[in-house]
Amino acid sequence: MTHDLANVPALVAQLRRDGYLILNEIACPATIDAIGDELAPHFDAVPYCQGPFYGAETKRLGRVLARSRSAQGLVLHDLVYDIVNSILQPNCHSLQLNLTQAIEIFPGAPAQGPHRDHDMWWTPKGETEYIINVMWALDDFTERNGATRVWPGSNHKDQSEPLLPDEDAISAVMPKGSACIFLGSTMHSGGENHASQSRRGLIISYCLGWLKPWENQWLAYPPEVAKIFAPEVAALVGYRQHLPSLNNFEGQCPSLLLGDGHVEPFVDALLPEQAAMAEQYREMRLGQFAEA
């Protein structure tokens, strides 16, 4: 599905200002229906969560790309990916998937405890965005059925503040096929479900490529699974190096595991300025060695 990418700068500015952004009905309806059909048997089979955070009235599914091939289309959604990339890319060489998680909130579920997702990392907060989440509505999200709650502008508030007043939150009401994008610094939570039916959503979460992701992508998508992914999706789940030299396998880009598995010699994986410095220093030392 093609979108007007000329709007990206304005949407990025809105996301930075408010901490969240709702894009109504931007997914192809056939894609959303296909994802729903592919995930349905997995939702039926999985037990309810345990613990007050994940919620005893909630079901969750990880490694969604192994359970729904159609979900790859949302991972690479052109408009959403451009927005995410505009905010995160300046702070890393390349992005990675932090997680994919499908969530079903059942009737009677209370609101989840408010939180900021960047708190999973022991890093300074307030200057850098480490993560951006995209909640895709697989059903209509309403105030009654547990739509995600967000605290507008909370990305600009004291990040050490564990709670903000409930009355400051808004419900991310949106029709099926819409997306709510929110920053890792934005306080949010699952909503309470007063309706007679459950609601389903899919989180696709992106983070800086040099961070350890929430979901262990290499266990979620081992080579035999990732081989069937589009190359861009395989890269996002860990089958590429993050310069300089992070995430290599035997000194090579791990994408080689998606080929014939032939292992080559170690190869430099440096930023351009590092490569130039290394080469310059090597030539200098070789010259000195020859003169000795």
Side-chain angles (χ1 to χ4, degrees), residues 189-252:
S189 78
E192 53 195 18
N193 191 343
H194 294 284
S196 58
Q197 293 183 325
S198 63
R199 71 89 172 147
R200 291 177 178 176
L202 170 60
I203 297 178
I204 297 176
S205 176
Y206 308 82
C207 68
L208 303 181
W210 47 266
L211 286 169
K212 187 178 183 67
W214 182 93
E215 185 172 45
N216 189 318
Q217 302 294 327
W218 307 277
L219 292 180
Y221 309 115
E224 60 271 20
V225 174
K227 282 181 179 181
I228 68 171
F229 291 171
E232 298 88 350
V233 174
L236 280 168
V237 301
Y239 292 89
R240 73 171 156 208
Q241 285 184 296
H242 183 285
L243 301 185
S245 302
L246 289 178
N247 198 47
N248 77 77
F249 175 77
E250 294 284 1
Q252 288 275 326

Side-chain angles (χ1 to χ4, degrees), residues 125-270:
K125 307 302 192 300
E127 295 184 3
T128 301
E129 290 296 341
Y130 300 103
I131 175 177
I132 297 179
N133 291 328
V134 184
M135 172 63 83
W136 290 92
L138 300 182
D139 296 314
D140 290 341
F141 274 36
T142 70
E143 289 195 29
R144 286 191 56 79
N145 73 2
T148 303
R149 299 188 304 164
V150 294
W151 276 254
S154 55
N155 53 311
H156 300 298
K157 296 185 181 298
D158 182 358
Q159 294 294 302
S160 65
E161 186 69 42
L163 289 175
L164 295 173
D166 277 346
E167 55 267 26
D168 291 350
I170 63 101
S171 294
V173 173
M174 54 185 178
K176 179 179 176 179
S178 303
C180 177
I181 307 175
F182 54 96
L183 304 175
S185 55
T186 299
M187 188 167 286
H188 67 282
S189 78
E192 53 195 18
N193 191 343
H194 294 284
S196 58
Q197 293 183 325
S198 63
R199 71 89 172 147
R200 291 177 178 176
L202 170 60
I203 297 178
I204 297 176
S205 176
Y206 308 82
C207 68
L208 303 181
W210 47 266
L211 286 169
K212 187 178 183 67
W214 182 93
E215 185 172 45
N216 189 318
Q217 302 294 327
W218 307 277
L219 292 180
Y221 309 115
E224 60 271 20
V225 174
K227 282 181 179 181
I228 68 171
F229 291 171
E232 298 88 350
V233 174
L236 280 168
V237 301
Y239 292 89
R240 73 171 156 208
Q241 285 184 296
H242 183 285
L243 301 185
S245 302
L246 289 178
N247 198 47
N248 77 77
F249 175 77
E250 294 284 1
Q252 288 275 326
C253 178
S255 60
L256 70 86
L257 295 172
L258 306 182
D260 59 12
H262 180 68
V263 177
E264 301 287 347
F266 274 51
V267 177
D268 286 349
L270 302 173

Side-chain angles (χ1 to χ4, degrees), residues 95-118:
L95 307 186
Q96 65 179 334
L97 278 187
N98 179 56
L99 63 83
T100 57
Q101 188 178 113
I103 303 173
E104 182 171 14
I105 297 180
F106 283 81
Q112 184 190 35
H115 58 285
R116 294 179 168 94
D117 282 345
H118 69 187

